[in-house]
C-alpha cells in the first residue's frame, strides 16, 4: 500500500478514492474479504425485502434492511482494513509504535524512549491506565532494557501503575495485531488531571540511546574543538 500509493497521496485523496485505495489493500491481503463484505450487505437487504413482501411491511423493512446492510458492510470493511494494516506492518521496525499512535482515546505516545545498539527498542504510552512500556526485539535483551526503563520511569511516576508488553511472535510476546486490544482493556486507574501531571513529570526523562561500542568507523573524523578567540 505504501509503495503503490504513498502516505501523502492517501491523505490528499478524496473520500471515495481513499475507500478504493483501502479496498485495494484489503483485497491484496485477503481475496475473500471483499466478497464477504459485499455478500453480507446484499444478504441482509435481500432478507429484509423478502420478509417485507411476505408480511406486507415492505415500506418499513426495505429501508431498514438497506441501512442494516450498509452498517454491516462498514463494520466488516473496517475490521478487514485493520487486519490488513497489521499484516502490512508486522515484523517491521517501529510497528508497535505505529499501533500505539493509532489508539483511540487520550494517549500520549513517545516512541523509542530507550534503545540499544542491537536495535531493541522500548516505546512509552501514557493514559488513564498509567504508563505502558512496549518493547520490540529479542526477549533476552529486552528484559534488561525494559527493567532499566521501568526503574527510571518509576522514580518519576511514583505510585502510578506501570505495565510492560513485549511485541513479537516468540514465547512470552504479544503479536502486533493484538497489542491495541490488550492495552485498551487495561483498567482506568488515573483521572485526566493526574494523567496531565504525569506527562509533565515524564518530560524530564531524556531518551537514552546506547551508542555502539568499539572504534570509530573507518574514515570518520573526531569533531574539531572551537579555537579560542585571540584578543
Amino acid at each position: 500500500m505504501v509503495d503503490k500509493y504513498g502516505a501523502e497521496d492517501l491523505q490528499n485523496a478524496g473520500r471515495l478514492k481513499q475507500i478504493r485505495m483501502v479496498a485495494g489493500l484489503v483485497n491484496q491481503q485477503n481475496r475473500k474479504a471483499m466478497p464477504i463484505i459485499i455478500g453480507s450487505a446484499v444478504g441482509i437487504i435481500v432478507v429484509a425485502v423478502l420478509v417485507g413482501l411476505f408480511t406486507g411491511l415492505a415500506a418499513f423493512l426495505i429501508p431498514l434492511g438497506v441501512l442494516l446492510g450498509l452498517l454491516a458492510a462498514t463494520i466488516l470493511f473496517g475490521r478487514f482494513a485493520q487486519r490488513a494494516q497489521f499484516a502490512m506492518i508486522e515484523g517491521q521496525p517501529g510497528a508497535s509504535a505505529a499501533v500505539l499512535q493509532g489508539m483511540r482515546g487520550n494517549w500520549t505516545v513517545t516512541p523509542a524512549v530507550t534503545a540499544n545498539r542491537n536495535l531493541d527498542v522500548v516505546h512509552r504510552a501514557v493514559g488513564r491506565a498509567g504508563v505502558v512500556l512496549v518493547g520490540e526485539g529479542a526477549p533476552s535483551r529486552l528484559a534488561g532494557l525494559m527493567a532499566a526503563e521501568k526503574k527510571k520511569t518509576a522514580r518519576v511516576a511514583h505510585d502510578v501503575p506501570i505495565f510492560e508488553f513485549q511485541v513479537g511472535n516468540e514465547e512470552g510476546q504479544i503479536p502486533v495485531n493484538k497489542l491495541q486490544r490488550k492495552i485498551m482493556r487495561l483498567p482506568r486507574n488515573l483521572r485526566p488531571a493526574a494523567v496531565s501531571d504525569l506527562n509533565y513529570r515524564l518530560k524530564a526523562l531524556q531518551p537514552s540511546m546506547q551508542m555502539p561500542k568499539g572504534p570509530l568507523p573507518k574514515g570518520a573524523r573526531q569533531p574539531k574543538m572551537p579555537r579560542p578567540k585571540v584578543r
Side-chain angles (χ1 to χ4, degrees):
M1 184 67 175
V2 175
D3 294 338
K4 188 175 181 180
Y5 300 112
E8 185 176 353
D9 295 337
L10 182 61
Q11 184 178 3
N12 296 331
R15 178 65 63 180
L16 293 178
K17 189 174 181 180
Q18 286 180 353
I19 294 176
R20 288 197 298 269
M21 289 179 176
V22 177
L25 172 63
V26 170
N27 187 61
Q28 179 182 352
Q29 296 293 334
N30 186 354
R31 297 289 183 181
K32 298 180 180 179
M34 295 308 299
I36 292 174
I37 295 170
I38 297 173
S40 299
V42 172
I44 292 174
I45 295 173
V46 169
V47 171
V49 170
L50 293 177
V51 174
L53 294 176
F54 280 110
T55 60
L57 299 174
F60 171 73
L61 290 179
I62 291 178
L64 179 62
V66 172
L67 291 176
L68 292 177
L70 293 176
L71 179 62
T74 302
I75 294 174
L76 288 174
F77 184 77
R79 291 185 176 179
F80 279 116
Q82 189 178 51
R83 292 178 184 176
Q85 179 187 10
F86 288 147
M88 181 177 64
I89 66 175
E90 186 174 8
Q92 297 185 11
S96 58
V99 172
L100 293 175
Q101 291 173 329
M103 290 192 303
R104 299 185 303 272
N106 188 21
W107 289 93
T108 301
V109 178
T110 306
V113 291
T114 185
N116 58 24
R117 60 177 180 173
N118 296 308
L119 300 182
D120 304 309
V121 63
V122 178
H123 313 293
R124 185 180 68 220
V126 180
R128 296 285 300 274
V131 179
V132 179
L133 300 177
V134 178
E136 294 183 49
S140 58
R141 296 191 300 263
L142 272 178
L145 195 65
M146 295 189 69
E149 183 61 29
K150 182 178 180 179
K151 184 178 180 180
K152 183 174 67 173
T153 303
R155 290 199 298 265
V156 177
H158 303 307
D159 296 329
V160 174
I162 301 176
F163 303 91
E164 298 177 86
F165 300 104
Q166 290 189 20
V167 174
N169 297 315
E170 298 187 27
E171 186 177 356
Q173 295 185 326
I174 302 174
V176 67
N177 60 346
K178 295 182 180 180
L179 176 62
Q180 187 177 108
R181 188 189 317 166
K182 191 80 173 179
I183 295 177
M184 296 302 291
R185 289 181 177 178
L186 294 174
R188 296 186 176 185
N189 300 306
L190 304 178
R191 295 182 179 182
V195 175
S196 299
D197 179 67
L198 177 60
N199 278 316
Y200 178 79
R201 284 183 276 131
L202 286 173
K203 285 182 180 179
L205 296 179
Q206 296 295 328
S208 56
M209 307 290 287
Q210 298 179 13
M211 298 299 294
K213 298 179 180 179
L216 290 172
K218 190 175 182 180
R221 297 180 179 179
Q222 291 281 1
K224 294 181 180 180
M225 298 297 293
R227 295 180 179 179
K229 295 182 179 180
V230 179
R231 294 182 181 180

